[in-house]
Amino acid sequence: MADKLTGACIFGQSGGPTSVINASAYGVIKTALEAPEITQVYGCAHGIVGVLNETLYDLGQEDPFELELLMNTPSSELGSSRYKLSDEKDIARIHEVFEKYNVRYFFYNGGNDSMDTCQKVNDYLARVGYECHVIGVPKTIDNDLCGTDHCPGYGSAAKYIATTVAEIYKDARVYNTGTITIVEIMGRHAGWLAGAAALAGIVGLAPDYIYFPELTFDMETFLRDVEATYNAKNNCIVAVSEGIHYDDGGFVSQSKVSTTDGFGHAQLGGTAAKLAAIVKQKTGAKVRGIELSLLQRCAAHLASQTDIDEAFLAGKTAVESALAGNTGKMVAFVRENANGSYKCGITLQPLSICANNEKKVPREWINESGTNVTQEFIDYALPLIQGERSFKIENGLPRFARLKKIPVIK
Amino acid sequence: MADKLTGACIFGQSGGPTSVINASAYGVIKTALEAPEITQVYGCAHGIVGVLNETLYDLGQEDPFELELLMNTPSSELGSSRYKLSDEKDIARIHEVFEKYNVRYFFYNGGNDSMDTCQKVNDYLARVGYECHVIGVPKTIDNDLCGTDHCPGYGSAAKYIATTVAEIYKDARVYNTGTITIVEIMGRHAGWLAGAAALAGIVGLAPDYIYFPELTFDMETFLRDVEATYNAKNNCIVAVSEGIHYDDGGFVSQSKVSTTDGFGHAQLGGTAAKLAAIVKQKTGAKVRGIELSLLQRCAAHLASQTDIDEAFLAGKTAVESALAGNTGKMVAFVRENANGSYKCGITLQPLSICANNEKKVPREWINESGTNVTQEFIDYALPLIQGERSFKIENGLPRFARLKKIPVIK
């Protein structure tokens, strides 16, 4: 494989957005624009769909000032998709587009489904002998990506959740009448985000119980625990994953029959509202259900500086690794604890171990009763929420990037 | 009335909390602790209820470092209540407690119901000839308090709403499949908070429509507008007040039959979820309902520096005014526009014009179709969300005040 492969690159964003996915974009775009081997830096609109339908933006024409604002702009600036490559025809089409624009570098930012896309593209191109370096850049607030210690996007979502739970804790103790508060947190099959609620305990404001999608939810035990705590303290705060489910796998929200996204995942939501109604009926207490909803993944104003820096580094490393001749890899983090303090190292992993797998919270990081995390979880997650970024403000509001997104003429 | 009335003071917090109500508390407590005429500074637990049941804290024993952290601690640190004075017996009891502790200054921080409490106490004490200076400190995220240009708490809630709507705007445009997003905002009878969603337009991220509780909600027009915008732009973002209602006064959330609080207000919520279901059925689009919920009133991490400063000033002024011999007044803000720039002046208003009235958004500050604000609203609200406070962080999370709350021996 040539060290000095010269040609264009395409960068795309896929799957659910995060607060820092655009920091990775900036890492890729900036590094690619500075690389002499990369002749053009294209962004594809809405992930792989933009390759298939040839909707490419010429990112070399963007204002560097606006590009830098990507460091604190939430959501996927180029647009995302959940499109799953249907068959070889799709991949042949990608090959066709790559040939047309002499694309020799492909950087794709996403979760496990996106790494599957990367692998299919990489394998196909290798098979047909089209030289192109394909590197995946990890991203997911859920932190369920295998092959990496943790994932860009998780730290900021965790910081948002912990901060918000701390603020809700204060608010929920205002009245003398007593309340039960149920906070619903994202995370379909992995409880990394739900567990992050426990980080509020660092400032003395932890929830009383946390329920994880890794374990079976038992309504009776839940009601008994919540009622006991409420009776003892006149207050109870509960964090629940949206993915909590009964023994038979049925989600507590019972929304599994609703619209599904392109990958067949159930669209959840409404767990907190549902539990609140049940708890209210059982206890007679004032009960409030709060769904943190989209804010977990788009509250860039509360992003973790550690997460932003690492997201940028992941993007930058993807380009540098590809330029060094790597392909079929995902950028990954390795935790290098030096003298007990957190240090994030970086490596490459084969796409195969990242694609389509889900990393769960280890059982031993959840306490015996299954209603809280252990110290190991705290030690793991706490370093990831450190640091606050002072970002560009305009009239008291965050000023996000405004890209021109100039389409490439087909 | 003596200028140099000497005795203890009681400070209490009432009604719904805000992100900055404790900044007012700090303004009162700090100024009172420094005043030689004030012999003791007591806080009453859960507002007037703490006076009635004699649960007082000796705030003079608090660590000054912790007291200063009140400047960025959300929720009512002394506890709040929605207790409405039932009759003369209650007020006679308050008088009894005031006599017992030689309370000569009473500062009460709340909304219009709390100003009613202040007035009743003040009138009674004057009638029985017990000399005591009663000053109300305004507070409400709803901004519906009469007699003041705006109210401490509103600016921070408005900043939270505008920032969040801007972030949701970015997130809602991620996919190529199109979405409709409905954001539910607090404000039972006044649309000041709902209107604040329009401030996101300053950074180019305004919602498409805003619906106000001041106007009658028409479901047909709403569905027609939202569908037209969705069809034209493949996206539509709507901000709705929780208090939107039909022609007959019935809330759209139809929750008016649920539990009511002590003042007979309906407990609302669920408007976004309800509208989302209806819009989904009508359009077939992907629709998401988001209830901003408690975060609007407790997200101190996003408080407006202007609001914090003014909240502190309101508390400080209450004490200074009382020491100067005033009673039966509420501290109020006057807007002094100097050369087109915002300046907040301060004055005293009779409690009578503040108590039990609600200030609505003027009809002329809402556009003709009733679905957005006018420039006058923007000019009014924008100065109030300016400035970001760098607050004390511990391990990546906000470090809130931890008061000892040492009870006074009865």
Side-chain angles (χ1 to χ4, degrees), chain B residues 260-278:
Chain B
T260 55
D261 65 32
F263 285 95
H265 306 314
Q267 264 199 0
L268 302 184
T271 310
K274 184 155 194 230
L275 287 178
I278 295 169

Side-chain angles (χ1 to χ4, degrees), chain A residues 16-17 46 75 77 80 82 159 164 167 170-171 174-175 199 267 286 295 297 299-301 386 395-397, chain B residues 16-17 46 75 77 80 82 159 164 167 170-171 174-175 199 267 286 295 297 299-301 386 395-397:
Chain A
H46 296 291
S75 176
E77 192 57 26
S80 185
R82 291 195 179 274
K159 189 182 183 85
T164 298
E167 290 173 336
K170 294 298 284 180
D171 193 282
V174 157
Y175 295 112
L199 298 176
Q267 263 198 1
K286 182 176 171 182
L295 280 310
R297 71 182 198 195
H301 75 267
Q386 300 305 307
N395 270 307
L397 293 170
Chain B
H46 297 292
S75 174
E77 192 57 26
S80 185
R82 292 193 179 275
K159 188 181 184 83
T164 298
E167 290 173 337
K170 295 298 284 181
D171 193 283
V174 157
Y175 295 112
L199 297 176
Q267 264 199 0
K286 181 177 173 183
L295 280 310
R297 70 183 198 193
H301 74 268
Q386 299 305 308
N395 270 308
L397 294 169

Side-chain angles (χ1 to χ4, degrees), chain A residues 11 19 48-49 55 67 71 80 95 114 122 164 175 177 194 234 249 271 285 306 351 369 383:
Chain A
F11 168 67
S19 291
I48 204 69
V49 173
T55 310
L67 283 178
M71 287 291 275
S80 185
H95 177 207
S114 312
N122 188 66
T164 298
Y175 295 112
T177 42
N234 200 28
T271 311
T306 300
L351 286 167
S369 64

Side-chain angles (χ1 to χ4, degrees), chain B residues 285-332:
Chain B
K286 181 177 173 183
V287 188
R288 199 185 278 266
I290 299 176
E291 191 181 339
L292 296 189
S293 190
L294 294 187
L295 280 310
Q296 295 160 86
R297 70 183 198 193
C298 71
H301 74 268
L302 202 53
S304 145
Q305 181 69 61
T306 300
D307 192 25
I308 294 174
D309 291 344
E310 291 178 357
F312 177 85
L313 180 67
K316 179 171 178 276
T317 303
V319 178
E320 291 170 349
S321 306
L323 290 170
N326 293 285
T327 190
K329 307 281 187 185
M330 182 187 82
V331 174

Side-chain angles (χ1 to χ4, degrees), chain B residues 388-405:
Chain B
E388 295 70 42
R389 183 173 173 84
S390 71
F391 48 89
K392 184 161 174 57
I393 295 282
E394 202 172 85
N395 270 308
L397 294 169
R399 164 69 159 85
F400 298 136
R402 294 171 195 160
L403 300 193
K404 288 179 281 191
K405 295 187 198 163

Side-chain angles (χ1 to χ4, degrees), chain B residues 318-398:
Chain B
V319 178
E320 291 170 349
S321 306
L323 290 170
N326 293 285
T327 190
K329 307 281 187 185
M330 182 187 82
V331 174
F333 295 144
V334 187
R335 190 172 299 229
E336 295 167 350
N337 284 319
N339 308 322
S341 70
Y342 170 81
K343 189 165 172 280
C344 181
I346 202 147
T347 186
L348 296 178
Q349 291 279 16
L351 285 168
S352 55
I353 72 159
C354 314
N356 296 320
N357 293 313
E358 284 178 330
K359 187 174 73 179
K360 311 284 180 107
V361 177
R363 181 61 187 90
E364 60 274 22
W365 287 13
I366 301 173
N367 73 358
E368 209 181 312
S369 63
T371 56
N372 212 330
V373 299
T374 62
Q375 188 58 41
E376 285 96 329
F377 185 100
I378 301 285
D379 294 343
Y380 167 84
L382 193 58
L384 311 180
I385 69 164
Q386 299 305 308
E388 295 70 42
R389 183 173 173 84
S390 71
F391 48 89
K392 184 161 174 57
I393 295 282
E394 202 172 85
N395 270 308
L397 294 169

Side-chain angles (χ1 to χ4, degrees), chain A residues 383-404:
Chain A
L384 312 180
I385 70 165
Q386 300 305 307
E388 295 69 43
R389 183 173 172 85
S390 73
F391 49 90
K392 185 160 173 60
I393 295 281
E394 202 172 84
N395 270 307
L397 293 170
R399 164 68 159 85
F400 298 137
R402 294 171 195 158
L403 301 194
K404 288 180 281 192

